[in-house]
Amino acid sequence: GERTAGAGILGGHLLPRSALSRSYMRPLFFTLGCLLFCLGFVGAFVPVLPTTPFMLLALWCFSRSSERFHDWLYHHKVFGPPMQQWHEHRVIPMGAKVIALLFMGASMVYLFALSSAPLWVKLVMTVTVAIGALFILTRPSAPPADQGRDINQ
């Protein structure tokens, strides 16, 4: 088949062009994609705001609203490579892991040392952060070295 708008790299399935053009969700996904892209762009310059997660979410939104914007972002000179690594190898670069884990840890310190949140909220947050940290730590930090090599050579 032919590639249609909404057939996105991250989408995992194809939406027929007719279903996408009828969809009242398309403008919502496009607007959300633009907002997420802006947040990711700001994150490139502001250390406390992550770039790649916002760009991945923007890419997903564009996969459901605009093939043109999706392809532009996926192949972008600066923002494209981390998304391509995630799509092709499910890689989270080491730098992104360190920053994410540091901010998770800082959030936990704040939660327990300075917050007056109820204990049950602290427990739910701790479990949620632990699951997120486990997910991050179990993803590879770089693509496989032998990717694309013939085993018989």
Side-chain angles (χ1 to χ4, degrees), residues 120-134:
W120 71 269
V121 170
K122 291 178 180 181
L123 293 174
V124 169
M125 288 296 298
T126 300
V127 169
T128 303
V129 167
I131 291 169
L134 184 63

Side-chain angles (χ1 to χ4, degrees), residues 73-145:
L73 184 56
Y74 187 76
H75 297 289
H76 191 275
K77 185 172 126 180
V78 175
F79 301 119
M83 290 182 276
Q84 293 165 12
Q85 285 185 347
W86 174 255
H87 173 68
E88 294 169 14
H89 307 288
R90 294 300 190 245
V91 166
I92 300 175
M94 184 57 73
K97 287 182 177 184
V98 169
I99 290 170
L101 294 170
L102 284 174
F103 280 101
M104 288 176 166
S107 297
M108 293 286 84
V109 168
Y110 171 80
L111 183 66
F112 283 94
L114 303 172
S115 172
S116 61
L119 180 60
W120 71 269
V121 170
K122 291 178 180 181
L123 293 174
V124 169
M125 288 296 298
T126 300
V127 169
T128 303
V129 167
I131 291 169
L134 184 63
F135 177 82
I136 289 168
L137 291 170
T138 58
R139 302 305 115 195
S141 298

Side-chain angles (χ1 to χ4, degrees), residues 42-94:
V42 170
F45 304 100
V46 177
V48 297
L49 198 60
T51 299
T52 304
F54 286 120
M55 292 300 180
L56 284 170
L57 290 170
L59 190 69
W60 182 83
C61 288
F62 289 144
S63 77
R64 274 137 180 79
S65 61
S66 171
E67 182 177 1
R68 184 175 129 210
F69 277 83
H70 175 273
D71 291 347
W72 171 79
L73 184 56
Y74 187 76
H75 297 289
H76 191 275
K77 185 172 126 180
V78 175
F79 301 119
M83 290 182 276
Q84 293 165 12
Q85 285 185 347
W86 174 255
H87 173 68
E88 294 169 14
H89 307 288
R90 294 300 190 245
V91 166
I92 300 175
M94 184 57 73

